[in-house]
Amino acid sequence: MRIPPNMAMWKAVGNGILEGISRVADLDASKLTITLSKTLKPIPKDETLLFGNIMSDHMVVAEFDPEIGWSSPEIKPLGPLSLDPTSSCLQYGTSVFEGMKAYIGPDGEPRLFRPDMNMARLARSAERMALPPFSTDQVLALIKQLIIVDRRWIPLSSGYSLYVRPVVMGTRTGLSVVASDRATLCIMLSPAGPYFRSGAKPTVSVLAVSETIRAWPGGTGEHKVGLNYSPGFLPLRVVQKQGYDLVLWLWGDDMKVTEAGAMNVFVVVARDDGGLDLLTPPLDGTILPGVTRDSILALAKAHTAGETTLPGLETQDSQRVRLHAQERAFTMAEMVQWSTEGKILEAFGAGTAVVIASIGKIGWKGKDLDLPVHEGLGPIANAFRTRILDIQEGREVWKNWSLLVTKL
Ligand SMILES: *Cc1c(COP(=O)(O)O)cnc(C)c1O
């Protein structure tokens, strides 16, 4: 994407020079001040946790001023922020966020899963909204510090974790329709259990809709910006009234499948040569580049190349199930054809919050596609879910995907 001129100016902030006129400060985690809460909240029992309804005791806050740059970041008791009612984020939705998780490993140490990918995406989202830039390694250092302060909030049971929610919001005041030259970074933590009520083996139903569009080429669908999500709430309510859990978002006259709710989509289709196609739509601007999506593709390729064997995907004569991972567009017409031919073996959604959720039912034009019924997750979805949780929770090491959260 071409960088708009105002961003070229902000880019210079990273070098400490703003158009040669003034020096403004980058975000600096070494200037962190910590004010601990006098009263700590009781930690809820793991079994009672859902997703995102309880926050830990503390938060990180830092503010960007166009004259000064980033303020010294603070960790302080979680509480309301004070915002002018004309703030850019309230008027024009200049708000971007990330979602990642911290886990306690068998060594008792907290770790994050591929946080570099979340940090790069946060920077891209902020740039797309013309928000002031920041060093992502400083954001990551602040996330680590917050996790260390609130580490008693990390649940210990498998499938449970501490969800990390950084948000950068535009705080320029006034009603001019222009980029926000002020911003607030806020980082929160929330202990998280299974995303869907269906529990540890999540299965969801989706209804494909063509009347409303989540994302289109040239839009903002490939960024984690707040304004992508609220337009989906009304369609969600409509599909839920019809008995489905989520919207299956489509794009284009040919009804290409894009995402399910806020999850990337995968389908497993039987090939004539006995192997399996693992299909997910390509990153064409309509798809959020998910960390879970990327991890599934990488693990599938490693499995098929013989670098690892995914759990349960070895047949008795020790032939491995051959997965042909492909980023390629597919349409509802193809989905209907594959399902009529009995070739769809599994469909699933993937994202940090849920990890992997099986798609048990796909509604389209008043009917449901024929999908095989699995008890919980199908074998392919289960293989990825098991391996990804093993890596996230530190039972397995894979490349440099796990980052230990140690003192700064
Ligand atoms: C966050 C998100 C995903 C999943 O991305 P992860 O990095 O795997 O959590 C998928 N789709 C949308 C629309 C999202 O916002």
Side-chain angles (χ1 to χ4, degrees):
M1 197 196 83
R2 270 189 52 240
I3 297 170
N6 68 318
M7 280 314 293
M9 181 178 85
W10 288 126
K11 282 246 144 177
V13 177
N15 309 323
I17 304 155
L18 187 62
E19 290 283 274
I21 301 163
S22 59
R23 293 178 74 86
V24 302
D26 194 357
L27 190 61
D28 186 351
S30 72
K31 297 204 177 120
L32 177 68
T33 59
I34 301 181
T35 311
L36 294 179
S37 177
K38 291 199 180 68
T39 53
L40 297 180
K41 294 183 251 185
I43 303 281
K45 284 203 170 29
D46 285 1
E47 316 82 75
T48 65
L49 293 173
L50 292 169
F51 179 80
N53 51 346
I54 299 169
M55 298 293 137
S56 74
D57 291 307
H58 300 94
M59 63 179 180
V60 168
V61 178
E63 280 162 12
F64 183 87
D65 175 295
E67 304 289 318
I68 303 163
W70 285 99
S71 66
S72 300
E74 289 177 87
I75 286 180
K76 57 186 185 184
L78 182 105
L81 301 172
S82 165
L83 286 181
D84 188 281
T86 67
S87 294
S88 173
C89 59
L90 300 176
Q91 300 295 331
Y92 304 121
T94 49
S95 176
V96 307
F97 66 96
E98 265 307 319
M100 52 213 282
K101 283 175 167 176
Y103 315 80
I104 297 279
D107 55 4
E109 292 305 321
R111 59 248 287 141
L112 288 161
F113 180 69
R114 309 188 73 186
D116 47 317
M117 293 198 77
N118 298 92
M119 291 300 99
R121 195 168 65 190
L122 182 65
R124 286 200 305 274
S125 301
E127 180 171 309
R128 180 65 184 82
M129 290 290 110
L131 285 165
F134 40 81
S135 292
T136 51
D137 54 351
Q138 299 304 303
V139 179
L140 184 55
L142 292 169
I143 289 172
K144 287 181 179 176
Q145 267 298 332
L146 186 62
I147 291 170
I148 290 166
V149 168
D150 273 347
R151 72 168 279 165
R152 68 187 192 105
W153 284 89
I154 310 178
L156 295 173
S157 319
S158 177
Y160 292 72
S161 55
L162 187 63
Y163 184 78
V164 183
R165 167 56 63 93
V167 49
V168 182
M169 55 201 126
T171 51
R172 181 187 188 279
T173 57
L175 300 177
S176 305
V177 187
V178 294
S180 183
D181 59 357
R182 281 173 197 276
T184 297
L185 163 73
C186 182
I187 307 170
M188 294 151 277
L189 304 175
S190 173
Y195 191 78
F196 295 110
R197 273 174 217 282
S198 45
K201 300 269 181 207
T203 301
V204 295
S205 60
V206 299
L207 179 61
V209 302
S210 53
E211 298 82 2
T212 45
I213 312 290
R214 189 196 85 87
W216 48 92
T220 55
E222 63 186 336
H223 299 290
K224 242 177 159 64
V225 299
L227 50 75
N228 282 348
Y229 299 86
S230 43
F233 298 158
L234 183 60
L236 177 63
R237 190 177 274 174
V238 172
V239 306
Q240 289 183 338
K241 277 219 175 97
Q242 295 176 60
Y244 294 84
D245 298 315
L246 297 174
V247 179
L248 184 64
W249 298 106
L250 308 179
W251 157 249
D253 293 339
D254 55 352
M255 308 288 172
K256 287 187 276 289
V257 174
T258 63
E259 300 210 42
M263 297 186 293
N264 293 123
V265 174
F266 286 83
V267 284
V268 182
V269 183
R271 290 160 60 106
D272 295 338
D273 67 2
L276 305 177
D277 279 329
L278 175 70
L279 306 179
T280 196
L283 301 179
D284 62 359
T286 67
I287 305 293
L288 195 288
V291 178
T292 319
R293 173 188 181 280
D294 185 83
S295 305
I296 290 169
L297 289 172
L299 287 171
K301 286 172 189 160
H303 169 85
T304 301
E307 289 162 32
T308 185
T309 302
L310 291 175
L313 297 193
E314 192 142 27
T315 51
Q316 259 136 4
D317 50 6
S318 78
Q319 284 277 327
R320 60 186 53 238
V321 175
R322 291 191 67 82
L323 289 173
H324 300 266
Q326 290 166 61
E327 297 173 74
R328 84 119 152 126
F330 51 91
T331 63
M332 280 313 293
E334 286 177 284
M335 290 287 285
V336 169
Q337 189 186 340
W338 293 330
S339 90
T340 321
E341 295 169 356
K343 283 186 178 168
I344 299 188
L345 304 183
E346 294 180 35
F348 56 89
T352 295
V354 64
V355 190
I356 287 177
S358 169
I359 298 176
K361 189 160 98 169
I362 302 178
W364 173 235
K365 294 195 170 159
K367 288 196 214 118
D368 289 330
L369 266 56
D370 265 327
L371 295 179
V373 182
H374 296 287
E375 188 62 45
L377 297 186
I380 307 296
N382 193 52
F384 287 118
R385 184 181 167 86
T386 306
R387 175 58 58 86
I388 289 174
L389 280 175
D390 282 347
I391 301 168
Q392 290 176 333
E393 295 172 357
R395 289 181 295 275
E396 288 233 15
V397 175
W398 182 252
K399 312 214 186 256
N400 57 352
W401 282 10
S402 221
L403 178 81
L404 277 178
V405 176
T406 44
K407 287 235 181 288
L408 283 177

